[in-house]
Amino acid sequence: DAGVHNKAWYAATCDRKMAEDALYRSNKDGSFLIRRSSGQDSQQPYTLVVFYNRRVYNIPIRFIESTRQYALGREKSGEERFDSVAEIVENHQRTSLVLIDSQNNTKDSTKLKHIVRVS
């Protein structure tokens, strides 16, 4: 179980546009929520949506079938893996999350600080 249900940061019925709108309204660095991924792919069931520096980042959360764990973004060697999506959130409330902007080729980092609720 991903550990997302009944969590304040999980926006079960929210699509990408709703999530991005809610984060722009919050306008606070480190604002975040987790939504179901648009593709409904079992390999990438959720997306972490983070606001930082006036931008919204949609970071895919992958499910790794072989280990039954979760990881962020594209697969890379030495990546951090977690037993639940809740563990990813708890970890990045304490340690910074690297945000990669592939369009502008920049890297930032922030902690997950403010839970955004989609109304």
Side-chain angles (χ1 to χ4, degrees):
D1 175 63
V4 296
H5 300 288
N6 308 322
K7 296 285 194 213
W9 41 255
Y10 180 55
T13 57
C14 170
D15 64 18
R16 181 177 183 139
K17 169 126 181 51
M18 285 166 63
E20 290 183 356
D21 289 348
L23 286 166
Y24 280 121
R25 279 196 306 274
S26 80
N27 199 25
K28 287 203 282 256
D29 284 350
S31 295
F32 75 99
L33 59 81
I34 300 238
R35 63 175 175 80
R36 293 187 86 79
S37 286
S38 314
Q40 289 299 327
D41 177 355
S42 64
Q43 302 299 303
Q44 189 184 306
Y46 302 104
T47 300
L48 169 60
V49 192
V50 182
F51 182 88
Y52 185 76
N53 202 11
R54 299 187 302 282
R55 299 247 354 246
V56 170
Y57 294 83
N58 284 278
I59 304 164
I61 298 175
R62 283 181 298 111
F63 178 66
I64 302 150
E65 191 66 53
S66 58
T67 59
R68 320 267 327 141
Q69 289 177 303
Y70 295 88
L72 287 173
R74 288 197 202 92
E75 193 169 344
K76 46 211 165 300
S77 63
E79 68 187 358
E80 282 187 283
R81 293 182 173 187
F82 301 90
D83 292 328
S84 68
V85 174
E87 276 187 30
I88 292 175
V89 171
E90 286 156 17
N91 179 64
H92 288 299
Q93 285 175 320
R94 294 188 306 267
T95 62
S96 286
L97 171 69
V98 175
L99 302 169
I100 296 167
D101 176 349
S102 48
Q103 287 155 337
N104 300 317
N105 208 12
T106 57
K107 263 189 184 179
D108 274 310
S109 67
T110 185
K111 290 182 182 160
L112 301 179
K113 295 185 196 130
H114 311 285
I115 295 170
V116 172
R117 291 175 182 273
V118 179
S119 42

